[in-house]
Amino acid sequence: MATIYYGPVINPQSLTDYLALPKCLILVSAKGDIDRIYEDVQSSQLQEILAQNGYTDHSAFNFIESREGEFLMPGFIDTHTHACQVPNLGVGGEFELLQWLDNYTFPTEARFKDAGYAERAYPDVVRRIVNSGTTTCCYYGSLHLEATKILAKLVHDRGQRAFVGKCNMNRNCPPNYIEPSVKESIDTTLALIKYIEELPKTSNSQPLVHPILTPRFAISCTEELLERVSKIALENPKLAIQTHISENPSEVELTKSLFNADSYAQVYERYHLLRNNTILAHGVHLTEDEMVLIAKHGAGVSHCPTSNFYLSSGMARVGMLLDHGVKVGLGTDVAGGYSPSILSTIQHASIASKMLAIQAAQAADKKCNRSRDRHRRDEEADSEPSEPSEPSDEVESHSHGHHGHHGHGHKHHHHEDNCDGDKKGPGGFTNERLSIAALLYLATLGGAHVCCLQDRIGSFAEKKAFDALLVSVRDETGNPGVWGYNTARDLTDGVTAQSADRSMVEWLERFLFCGDDRNIRRVIVQGKMIGGQEYQH
């Protein structure tokens, strides 16, 4: 049955812009695709527009009108998480990456050798991630085939859009959690790909769950294994790839040493694993040369700031990645990230960008002060009286060069202007705080680009799938962190309602920075409700 949505809509457009539409009408077909969008419809026009589109029999469609304090927005896209690590949430934060893996993560993942445990654990994993507002998720399973098949089936049956992969890892892993041979790693990978591709399609004959090649990270794969993974990738150009890159300084140095490479990104390029449907998690310590290389191949980066803070990995230079033309989305990276919610990731992405901007400004101020000191000393030296003399050719040449350089610098690079310029990068985002528009984009349409699904999801547009969240910031949600919509309390004498678009902007900000699953009424994928507070289990 078709569904008609009417009311406030937030629709991301770009890194710098989104639409806040107070009276938007969205017509969603029975197959879950968007048929029509009307951005500004007065209530008096509703029946006429519905009739124009053939909706005259009210028993033939569902009509959902949002209340004040509620709005629709595209669903969140989590471009990097580990389903088999959810039982490990919030544990081991005193370690950095490699020690954390050995002491906590690998033992947790090893438990999924027991398919019965996977059957008990994964339903809770998927439920928590869906109810957090994630409509599309890039899942890492463990190295176990049966457990990962269970994960893929559960995700599919729940109705979540996803990429699901089984880790390839045959070295630098504990004895009880390592693949015994390259052959087994590849055979089980191919078996999982076949299994996922045979899952039923959606009502419009498109896959909901996609297989994805998952070489865990370069350290955990021998050269022979990466060569075999590369062969699968080359034979299947539409098959997505996910892995980690430059998360931790020790990891970076070990990778370069193991593969005798100049950079981490060079290793993946060597094995043909950098391409437009490659998702690289983290990228905290990427060099600018690596950013250029990644952009050249069209690969994307999953920014995982919650994890990067928790494991003391550092802060990814997202603005610089964007200025180099790299696609960027957000990832929870559970359990390095201690929350399955992209809302937490948004909040930490904002903080990371502000910290990078502060650090850049402080560095620029120090450079500026040094420049001013040099400038003052030069002026003092120029004002000192000197005895006239006929300098030798050598002295004249040196003197001319010094004054010529100083004069050139003063004329074309005034020290105050130069200082201001150093605080900002060469593009529009380097060393700048991420705006609300940018944060919203990274969590939705940016993630869609990273997953190469931008033509289907990430924003509301005709012919796209209707993957959405129905959000409420009303007081009745019970979230104490949100000063919710409550007219009886807040609209007292002398206080009038704000304009609709300003209210929507504030609703969005309150949700992004203070919201949680209590503020998500419905999670919708391909037009079907799959989670949220109103979902009937």
Side-chain angles (χ1 to χ4, degrees):
M1 182 180 290
T3 305
I4 313 299
Y5 293 89
Y6 179 61
V9 168
I10 297 289
N11 197 9
Q13 302 294 296
S14 69
L15 282 158
T16 58
D17 186 37
Y18 67 89
L19 299 178
L21 307 168
K23 296 182 180 296
C24 184
L25 184 67
I26 302 180
L27 312 183
V28 180
S29 73
K31 292 185 176 181
D33 289 337
I34 299 173
D35 279 342
R36 295 293 301 274
I37 297 179
Y38 296 87
E39 293 186 350
D40 185 18
V41 177
Q42 299 303 311
S43 57
S44 59
Q45 302 172 292
L46 273 175
Q47 296 306 317
E48 178 184 352
I49 293 176
L50 291 177
Q52 290 173 358
N53 288 274
Y55 292 101
T56 54
D57 181 2
H58 286 254
S59 64
F61 63 90
N62 296 313
F63 183 80
I64 299 174
E65 182 173 2
S66 302
R67 299 173 294 173
E68 289 293 318
E70 298 177 345
F71 60 90
L72 281 170
M73 63 173 288
F76 292 136
I77 299 173
D78 187 345
T79 55
H80 179 68
T81 203
H82 296 261
C84 51
Q85 292 180 20
V86 172
N88 200 41
L89 278 170
V91 177
E94 72 273 20
F95 290 107
E96 291 192 11
L97 173 66
L98 298 181
Q99 295 75 26
W100 175 77
L101 288 170
D102 289 338
N103 286 278
Y104 287 99
T105 305
F106 288 153
T108 299
E109 294 187 19
R111 296 187 64 185
F112 286 86
K113 179 180 180 179
D114 176 4
Y117 178 67
E119 290 175 341
R120 296 192 303 273
Y122 275 148
D124 280 347
V125 169
V126 175
R127 174 181 55 80
R128 291 166 191 239
I129 291 173
V130 167
N131 286 339
S132 296
T134 299
T135 52
T136 297
C137 192
C138 298
Y139 286 107
Y140 282 58
S142 61
L143 60 76
H144 310 106
L145 172 61
E146 291 307 314
T148 311
K149 287 165 68 174
I150 290 168
L151 172 63
K153 181 70 161 53
L154 283 166
V155 169
H156 177 273
D157 290 351
R158 185 63 183 251
Q160 187 184 36
R161 200 179 302 277
F163 294 81
V164 178
K166 183 202 74 66
C167 281
N168 302 109
M169 41 193 292
N170 71 333
R171 70 166 166 180
N172 292 319
C173 303
N176 69 330
Y177 190 55
I178 188 169
E179 292 179 304
S181 68
V182 169
K183 182 179 186 304
E184 178 165 322
S185 181
I186 295 302
D187 286 350
T188 53
T189 295
L190 292 172
L192 180 67
I193 292 170
K194 182 175 185 294
Y195 176 81
I196 293 175
E197 288 179 340
E198 291 177 350
L199 289 171
K201 304 295 188 289
T202 63
S203 55
N204 60 3
S205 301
Q206 295 191 6
L208 195 65
V209 179
H210 305 263
I212 185 167
L213 279 176
T214 309
R216 186 181 192 114
F217 58 169
I219 290 173
S220 69
C221 300
T222 60
E223 293 186 27
E224 182 186 0
L225 179 54
L226 286 181
E227 286 172 357
R228 295 293 303 277
V229 171
S230 172
K231 184 173 184 293
I232 296 174
L234 290 172
E235 291 173 351
N236 300 272
K238 292 184 178 180
L239 180 62
I241 303 165
Q242 62 182 358
T243 189
H244 298 76
I245 192 169
S246 297
E247 180 178 356
N248 175 279
S250 299
E251 169 215 10
V252 173
E253 292 308 311
L254 180 55
T255 300
K256 292 194 293 185
S257 173
L258 287 173
F259 290 91
N260 191 27
D262 294 328
S263 73
Y264 206 141
Q266 185 187 78
V267 174
Y268 292 137
E269 184 188 42
R270 182 185 302 171
Y271 294 99
H272 310 287
L273 297 177
L274 286 185
R275 62 190 193 189
N276 73 311
N277 54 357
T278 297
I279 304 170
L280 301 166
H282 301 291
V284 175
H285 302 284
L286 290 170
T287 65
E288 288 198 61
D289 286 344
E290 287 179 293
M291 294 181 188
V292 171
L293 183 63
I294 291 168
K296 171 187 170 185
H297 289 282
V301 169
S302 176
H303 178 37
C304 307
T306 306
S307 171
N308 299 154
F309 282 130
Y310 187 63
L311 297 180
S312 304
S313 298
M315 295 180 290
R317 296 178 292 177
V318 171
M320 189 175 291
L321 285 165
L322 294 171
D323 285 339
H324 278 88
V326 177
K327 300 180 296 188
V328 180
L330 297 182
T332 57
D333 189 34
V334 169
Y338 49 77
S339 170
S341 174
I342 284 289
L343 289 170
S344 294
T345 309
I346 289 169
Q347 293 152 21
H348 289 114
S350 175
I351 292 169
S353 72
K354 290 173 181 175
M355 288 303 301
L356 288 169
I358 290 169
Q359 290 177 351
Q362 290 173 339
D365 286 343
K366 290 180 181 178
K367 183 176 180 181
C368 183
N369 290 335
R370 290 194 297 267
S371 177
R372 288 195 184 103
D373 289 343
R374 285 195 299 270
H375 182 75
R376 185 178 64 253
R377 288 194 298 269
D378 288 343
E379 286 182 337
E380 290 171 352
D382 289 344
S383 64
E384 291 178 1
S386 58
E387 294 293 330
S389 62
E390 293 292 332
S392 65
D393 290 343
E394 181 180 357
V395 173
E396 182 176 4
S397 173
H398 173 77
S399 174
H400 177 74
H402 170 75
H403 287 293
H405 173 75
H406 172 72
H408 173 81
H410 181 72
K411 179 178 180 181
H412 297 288
H413 300 280
H414 188 272
H415 67 275
E416 291 183 358
D417 291 340
N418 187 44
C419 291
D420 290 341
D422 282 342
K423 294 179 183 179
K424 298 181 179 180
F429 298 98
T430 302
N431 296 334
E432 291 292 307
R433 293 169 294 180
L434 290 171
S435 66
I436 296 299
L439 293 166
L440 174 66
Y441 177 88
L442 294 177
T444 54
L445 191 53
H449 278 277
V450 169
C451 295
C452 295
L453 291 176
Q454 68 273 13
D455 293 335
R456 290 293 296 155
I457 59 173
S459 63
F460 298 135
E462 293 176 5
K463 307 308 178 187
K464 277 191 171 187
F466 188 69
D467 288 12
L469 304 180
L470 179 54
V471 176
S472 174
V473 290
R474 296 170 65 90
D475 248 9
E476 63 205 45
T477 63
N479 181 353
V482 174
W483 188 260
Y485 182 86
N486 185 333
T487 55
R489 178 192 62 209
D490 295 331
L491 294 185
T492 56
D493 291 341
V495 179
T496 58
Q498 297 169 341
S499 66
D501 57 347
R502 180 180 172 186
S503 293
M504 288 184 62
V505 169
E506 292 185 355
W507 296 347
L508 175 63
E509 291 192 45
R510 290 180 193 274
F511 175 59
L512 295 184
F513 288 96
C514 305
D516 60 28
D517 61 295
R518 287 169 291 188
N519 299 105
I520 301 173
R521 283 183 56 197
R522 297 187 179 197
V523 179
I524 303 162
V525 173
Q526 198 64 46
K528 175 186 175 184
M529 181 166 60
I530 67 166
Q533 294 296 311
E534 296 181 6
Y535 179 71
Q536 299 297 316
H537 301 282

